[in-house]
Amino acid sequence: MIDRQELANRLLDYLQTVPELPEYLAAAPESLPSFDPYQMVGEWIALRHEVKQQNKLTQSANLALQQALAVEQSRSEQRHNTSATAKGNDDRELFKDLLSVMDDLDRTIAHSQAQITAAQHPKAQESSIWHKLFFGEPKPASDTSLLTALVSNQEGIEMIRRSLLTILRQRQITPIVALAQPFDPQCMYAIAQQQSDSVPANHVMQEVVRGYRQGDQILREAQVIVASNISSGG
């Protein structure tokens, strides 16, 4: 028969016994990473803003490209009703529109690359509240969700840029090489002149707006800053 009294005594002993703590709860940690909820919220808002900004730039460039291609298709359908001169003028205007799209893509890629460089900076990783809170110490930048999103976004923009560049090259439109080259008033427009010890005088030290040529004709002048080695002292 079952000894009910014995079972009751064993149950009572079990309930009165203090269970042994697991190893990870036996001792308090020596130190805890500091947690600032305001910093966490600030970084989260900055992350969302950056991703939204990148998406907005990409969508804007893609929309401009689609609009330009739609204009080209519409003009192509009307070419049989226009003269050869009018066709050439329409083409040049279309190509200039495409160059503006290319400028937007170049600026977007430069902005994206700057953000990727900032995300890869070790100091930025060390100060991140997310790494302190969830990982305790910095993780490699390639593992972060922000860096992954930025790199993926930049790859998409570069793919669009390569497609547009292929369209331009098929029509013999190529960039004008200006940086570090002697200033050429035939294809360049100097918007400023700055003193420089590293760039020879009358050479291009900065390309503000890239120029393009179509065959032997200048489609758009390059806007540049020209170096000058004239000293200001006497």
Side-chain angles (χ1 to χ4, degrees):
M1 293 181 63
I2 300 176
D3 190 342
R4 299 179 181 275
Q5 184 61 38
E6 178 64 21
L7 289 177
N9 292 337
R10 290 172 59 183
L11 176 60
L12 183 60
D13 291 340
Y14 174 78
L15 294 176
Q16 292 178 346
T17 301
V18 178
E20 184 178 353
L21 293 176
E23 182 179 352
Y24 64 91
L25 293 179
E30 296 181 359
S31 62
L32 292 174
S34 59
F35 173 69
D36 185 350
Y38 295 101
Q39 182 183 356
M40 184 183 69
V41 173
E43 291 192 8
W44 172 247
I45 293 175
L47 172 62
R48 291 186 58 189
H49 175 75
E50 182 58 38
V51 173
K52 286 184 178 180
Q53 183 68 15
Q54 291 293 329
N55 290 336
K56 185 182 298 183
L57 291 172
T58 303
Q59 293 173 2
S60 176
N62 198 8
L63 178 60
L65 176 58
Q66 292 177 0
Q67 292 174 344
L69 293 178
V71 172
E72 180 183 20
Q73 182 178 2
S74 176
R75 289 172 177 173
S76 297
E77 295 173 352
Q78 300 174 0
R79 283 179 179 175
H80 64 280
N81 297 326
T82 59
S83 64
T85 302
K87 288 181 181 179
N89 292 334
D90 287 344
D91 288 343
R92 289 178 64 87
E93 292 302 319
L94 169 64
F95 295 150
K96 289 181 180 180
D97 291 340
L98 292 178
L99 295 184
S100 297
V101 176
M102 182 67 76
D103 294 340
D104 292 337
L105 292 172
D106 288 338
R107 284 191 291 267
T108 303
I109 291 175
H111 176 75
S112 178
Q113 185 58 51
Q115 296 302 317
I116 291 174
T117 301
Q120 290 174 330
H121 199 283
K123 294 299 183 183
Q125 293 295 324
E126 293 173 3
S127 62
S128 174
I129 189 66
W130 300 104
H131 286 294
K132 290 181 180 179
L133 180 61
F134 296 109
F135 303 111
E137 59 182 16
K139 286 277 187 176
S142 58
D143 293 338
T144 64
S145 58
L146 173 59
L147 181 61
T148 301
L150 291 175
V151 172
S152 176
N153 188 64
Q154 186 182 39
E155 290 174 351
I157 299 172
E158 289 177 345
M159 183 175 63
I160 297 174
R161 184 183 185 278
R162 286 193 298 268
S163 300
L164 179 55
L165 193 59
T166 298
I167 294 175
L168 295 176
R169 285 174 177 170
Q170 290 174 349
R171 289 155 179 79
Q172 298 182 332
I173 299 176
T174 56
I176 296 174
V177 179
L179 193 62
Q181 299 298 313
F183 175 73
D184 184 358
Q186 298 298 324
C187 61
M188 303 177 189
Y189 177 76
I191 62 174
Q193 190 176 33
Q194 294 182 5
Q195 182 178 343
S196 174
D197 296 329
S198 58
V199 180
N202 206 38
H203 281 60
V204 176
M205 62 181 298
Q206 183 178 345
E207 185 182 48
V208 180
V209 177
R210 184 167 299 168
Y212 289 85
R213 67 173 79 245
Q214 184 177 22
D216 297 332
Q217 297 183 342
I218 303 301
L219 188 59
R220 188 179 72 182
E221 291 181 321
Q223 299 182 25
V224 299
I225 297 178
V226 182
S228 170
N229 60 1
I230 301 177
S231 61
S232 58

